[in-house]
Amino acid sequence: MSLKVDRLSVSFKTGDTNFYAVKEVSFQLEPGKVLGIVGESGSGKSVTSLALMRLLDEEKAKVTGSILLNDKALLELPEAKMRSFRGNRIGMIFQEPMTSLNPVLTCGYQVAEAIQLHLKVGRKEARTKTIKLFEEVQLPRPEAIFDSFPHQISGGQKQRVMIAMALSCNPEILIADEPTTALDVTVQKSILELLLRIKNERNSSLIFISHDLGVICEIADEVIVMYKGKIVEQAATETIFSNPQHPYTQGLLACRPSPQFRLKKLPVIRDFLKTDLHGEIQFSGTTINEIRQRYALSDDEKKQRQKKLYNQEPLLKIKNLNTWFPIKKGFLQRSTETVKAVNNISFEVFPGETLGLVGESGCGKTTLGRSLIRLIEPNFGKIIFKGQDILTLPQNEMRRMRKKMQLIFQDPYSSLNPKLTIGNAILEPMEVHGLYGDQQQRKKKVLELLDRVNLLPEHFNRYPHEFSGGQRQRIVIARALALQPEFIICDESVSALDVSVQAQVLNLLKELQREFNLTYIFISHDLSVVKHFADRMMVMNKGEIIETGDPQKIYEHPKEAYTQKLIASIPGLGLPLL
């Protein structure tokens, strides 16, 4: 089944003007092929996919152009007829499975419901088909997951449920909208392999949407690059990666941390683009190689930094730390087993160092981070911070100690109070700890912090929902800095960000480290990011540290099979520009 899109435009009414989210986009998808659509948030990728499915609110969105599915004009179909095309002819995997799945219905019920609706079969047959689909997408214990609620399964498993739902009515075209964002690299790789296998077995076509060119290169035959609603480059995947023509494409390629290059800072989009007086994009004249030479970290600079770091007394010493969780079963909720989330771990962190902590979801990274500042109480061991074992401190003294030890959470939106303006969210911890004298001085400090993380004074009175993901991440960084900490744990703090925004946040964290002599533990599942950002890397698996050392050496000569698997899962390995 072929899909032809011609001069597709989508506009939204904003006051007296029309905002064009998609501007005259044209492309063709041939049977059995994979088309990758790449660009930053706001580039028009998801709006394009929703327009193809006719899922946009027709009262708010004006869609023009044509969408031909085997010569059927989808934009001209009555809604009742279009409903039969959705699911049956075109399926869609949405970006965030946790918000796309109904939390009060079991996973199996939600897939079976779609099968009953579209295929007109009974409940028993729908259950059988659903379990078969769960087997096809390689879900473990498919019958148990049928009866599980979304919160009871992992992120990768939820994504597989969403894929099963999209496949439930045998669509000839599948649209996958950021289906691997924020997943572990190993889970991400398995999802990409799964999608390709299903496409080949069913001889279907796939539109794969992502902000990450490294992921796109693993799966797509042809790539479309979108910027501000327009297609700025379109070519075969090999051509895009070996010889990108548009400066925006070059910028996207360069922003992503590369296993092949060690840089002082990451390039950002504005290194490659400039805008003329008419708002048109122009090439700045700088190439990827020139940027990388400008930001290159020499061996001498690296050695000098390591000598400075490791000739000091450690800021933090962890000795035989254990955090275990009992598994309670039965009517009386008796403890039958124990999960050793952190199992007899010892290591040191030096002042001004960035220690990277990598591993898959469930390996114990987040539990270790929270144990270090006693948001989760360890069972036993020692956490010696500046010569004092903080596990011996009573709670009131530990609260005071947390001024020096802060945590940046993975999801900035859920860690900000939606009822507080961001100015008050940053000011609140200053009040709690009685810093900076009075409210006037505290507000002045908040404005300084906003400026330092590249936000504006007028942002003080705005609420979290009024900001982008990258801006919210800057807000929580400013809040962490409000108490003048010496040690910050960054827990997956860039995992869900666009590669361009991720580069900006990583550069900001490095600048702040130099300015305030901060010490970081940087938790991530992405070895490329940790290799760029960290001075030293620890690999964690099943509650234990299995490998520690220089990130470059671990990347080039991993000792453990688990580390080798993580490295092999990095998308885009071996590409000339990555």
Side-chain angles (χ1 to χ4, degrees):
M1 174 175 285
S2 66
L3 177 72
K4 186 175 181 181
V5 177
D6 186 39
R7 301 183 71 179
L8 177 69
S9 295
V10 181
S11 62
F12 296 90
K13 191 82 171 173
T14 56
D16 298 327
T17 60
N18 286 323
F19 167 70
Y20 277 87
V22 176
K23 304 173 189 176
E24 298 198 338
V25 164
S26 300
F27 61 84
Q28 194 159 342
L29 177 64
E30 298 297 336
K33 296 294 184 181
V34 180
L35 175 67
I37 303 179
V38 71
E40 299 169 279
S41 295
S43 64
K45 310 184 302 295
S46 294
V47 174
T48 299
S49 67
L50 292 170
L52 295 179
M53 297 284 288
R54 280 189 48 191
L55 289 173
L56 295 167
D57 187 334
E58 294 182 1
E59 293 182 4
K60 296 178 181 177
K62 182 182 179 182
V63 183
T64 59
S66 72
I67 303 170
L68 296 178
L69 187 63
N70 271 9
D71 298 325
K72 278 279 187 186
L74 297 188
L75 294 181
E76 297 172 15
L77 292 178
E79 175 57 28
K81 184 70 175 173
M82 184 63 205
R83 210 173 286 134
S84 68
F85 272 74
R86 288 191 207 106
N88 283 330
R89 311 292 291 277
I90 310 179
M92 188 162 180
I93 306 165
F94 292 95
Q95 179 171 356
E96 179 45 66
M98 193 62 208
T99 54
S100 301
L101 292 169
N102 191 325
V104 300
L105 298 175
T106 65
C107 297
Y109 178 89
Q110 295 182 63
V111 178
E113 183 183 39
I115 292 173
Q116 285 181 269
L117 179 66
H118 287 282
L119 302 185
K120 311 298 182 188
V121 299
R123 185 181 297 177
K124 187 175 180 181
E125 187 177 348
R127 179 186 174 93
T128 302
K129 284 180 177 292
T130 300
I131 290 172
K132 189 175 179 182
L133 277 168
F134 283 179
E135 290 171 350
E136 186 177 1
V137 299
Q138 298 174 347
L139 277 166
R141 304 173 295 106
E143 293 198 7
I145 286 182
F146 186 100
D147 296 317
S148 298
F149 291 92
H151 72 273
Q152 294 175 308
I153 61 177
S154 71
Q157 289 172 341
K158 282 193 279 281
Q159 196 58 273
R160 289 171 190 266
V161 170
M162 289 298 298
I163 293 171
M165 188 182 292
L167 294 171
S168 61
C169 301
N170 301 309
E172 293 151 273
I173 294 175
L174 190 61
I175 301 172
D177 185 6
E178 299 272 16
T180 60
T181 298
L183 294 180
D184 292 346
V185 284
T186 48
V187 177
Q188 175 178 265
K189 185 177 183 181
S190 69
I191 295 292
L192 296 178
E193 290 172 347
L194 172 66
L195 288 171
L196 282 175
R197 180 177 61 79
I198 289 170
K199 177 197 76 72
N200 293 332
E201 288 175 357
R202 297 188 174 210
N203 195 31
S204 56
S205 305
L206 176 64
I207 296 175
F208 191 95
I209 297 168
S210 180
H211 63 257
D212 189 341
L213 272 163
V215 172
I216 287 286
C217 80
E218 296 281 340
I219 197 168
D221 300 302
E222 187 177 356
V223 179
I224 286 171
V225 182
M226 292 188 71
Y227 180 67
K228 294 188 175 180
K230 296 180 180 179
I231 293 177
V232 295
E233 190 161 0
Q234 183 171 355
T237 304
E238 186 178 344
T239 304
I240 288 284
F241 283 95
S242 62
N243 188 26
Q245 296 299 303
H246 198 276
Y248 179 69
T249 311
Q250 294 182 16
L252 283 179
L253 282 163
C255 286
R256 190 172 176 272
S258 167
Q260 287 89 1
F261 300 92
R262 181 74 191 231
L263 304 175
K264 297 173 193 172
K265 63 180 288 188
L266 288 170
V268 294
I269 296 292
R270 64 175 174 267
D271 287 323
F272 300 88
L273 297 181
K274 63 180 181 179
T275 307
D276 65 18
L277 295 174
H278 305 290
E280 294 297 318
I281 311 162
Q282 291 185 332
F283 182 33
S284 68
T286 310
T287 66
I288 291 177
N289 287 333
E290 286 172 341
I291 290 290
R292 284 185 169 146
Q293 286 173 8
R294 185 188 304 169
Y295 296 150
L297 179 70
S298 70
D299 288 341
D300 283 345
E301 288 173 310
K302 182 179 173 182
K303 286 175 184 175
Q304 286 173 10
R305 175 167 171 78
Q306 288 181 334
K307 184 178 179 181
K308 179 184 174 183
L309 286 175
Y310 303 125
N311 281 342
Q312 309 174 87
E313 274 296 307
L315 178 74
L316 184 70
K317 294 180 182 179
I318 310 302
K319 296 183 179 180
N320 307 112
L321 190 67
N322 290 267
T323 305
W324 299 353
F325 299 108
I327 299 176
K328 296 182 179 181
K329 293 182 179 179
F331 178 75
L332 298 176
Q333 290 290 287
R334 288 183 176 139
S335 296
T336 56
E337 298 176 57
T338 300
V339 174
K340 297 181 179 180
V342 175
N343 188 22
N344 203 36
I345 281 178
S346 300
F347 63 93
E348 296 176 339
V349 189
F350 294 82
E353 181 187 22
T354 299
L355 178 63
L357 180 61
V358 299
E360 297 172 285
S361 293
C363 71
K365 306 186 303 292
T366 294
T367 301
L368 174 58
R370 296 188 181 197
S371 297
L372 294 181
I373 56 176
R374 288 180 59 187
L375 290 181
I376 296 174
E377 289 290 349
N379 294 75
F380 52 91
K382 291 186 177 183
I383 304 172
I384 301 169
F385 181 72
K386 300 184 75 171
Q388 183 170 24
D389 185 357
I390 66 172
L391 286 184
T392 64
L393 295 177
Q395 281 297 336
N396 60 336
E397 288 185 37
M398 186 61 216
R399 265 187 227 106
R400 287 195 290 272
M401 179 64 78
R402 288 202 188 103
K403 284 193 295 185
K404 300 174 184 177
M405 310 171 79
Q406 287 290 297
L407 176 64
I408 299 173
F409 293 93
Q410 179 173 354
D411 180 2
Y413 191 66
S414 62
S415 62
L416 289 168
N417 187 332
K419 296 179 181 179
L420 284 182
T421 65
I422 63 112
N424 286 324
I426 298 169
L427 190 144
E428 186 181 42
M430 300 179 188
E431 287 182 313
V432 170
H433 290 278
L435 297 180
Y436 306 110
D438 57 26
Q439 288 295 90
Q440 187 176 353
Q441 290 298 315
R442 288 175 191 135
K443 184 170 181 179
K444 182 181 176 183
K445 184 63 179 178
V446 172
L447 294 174
E448 287 176 11
L449 289 169
L450 288 176
D451 178 65
R452 188 60 199 82
V453 298
N454 302 319
L455 294 172
L456 301 173
E458 53 263 37
H459 290 153
F460 186 100
N461 292 314
R462 295 185 189 174
Y463 290 87
H465 72 272
E466 299 179 78
F467 295 89
S468 69
Q471 287 174 319
R472 284 196 287 263
Q473 198 60 271
R474 292 171 185 274
I475 291 162
V476 296
I477 290 170
R479 187 177 61 178
L481 292 173
L483 298 178
Q484 301 177 321
E486 298 176 47
F487 171 59
I488 297 178
I489 299 168
C490 305
D491 186 7
E492 297 278 13
S493 53
V494 297
S495 62
L497 299 178
D498 289 348
V499 284
S500 55
V501 179
Q502 173 182 273
Q504 294 169 25
V505 172
L506 290 173
N507 289 343
L508 172 64
L509 288 170
K510 281 205 166 188
E511 290 170 17
L512 294 170
Q513 183 175 51
R514 287 192 295 269
E515 187 174 333
F516 299 109
N517 194 34
L518 296 172
T519 303
Y520 295 136
I521 286 183
F522 188 85
I523 298 172
S524 179
H525 60 258
D526 190 334
L527 266 79
S528 294
V529 171
V530 172
K531 181 179 170 294
H532 160 75
F533 192 67
D535 299 293
R536 205 160 36 106
M537 182 193 291
M538 295 195 308
V539 182
M540 194 169 181
N541 185 28
K542 296 180 180 177
E544 298 180 355
I545 303 298
I546 61 168
E547 196 160 353
T548 305
D550 179 85
Q552 183 77 31
K553 290 178 181 176
I554 289 179
Y555 175 77
E556 292 175 353
H557 305 289
K559 295 176 183 176
E560 299 292 328
Y562 177 77
T563 313
Q564 293 168 13
K565 183 181 79 167
L566 287 179
I567 292 169
S569 300
I570 299 172
L573 281 178
L575 287 170
L577 290 175
L578 291 178

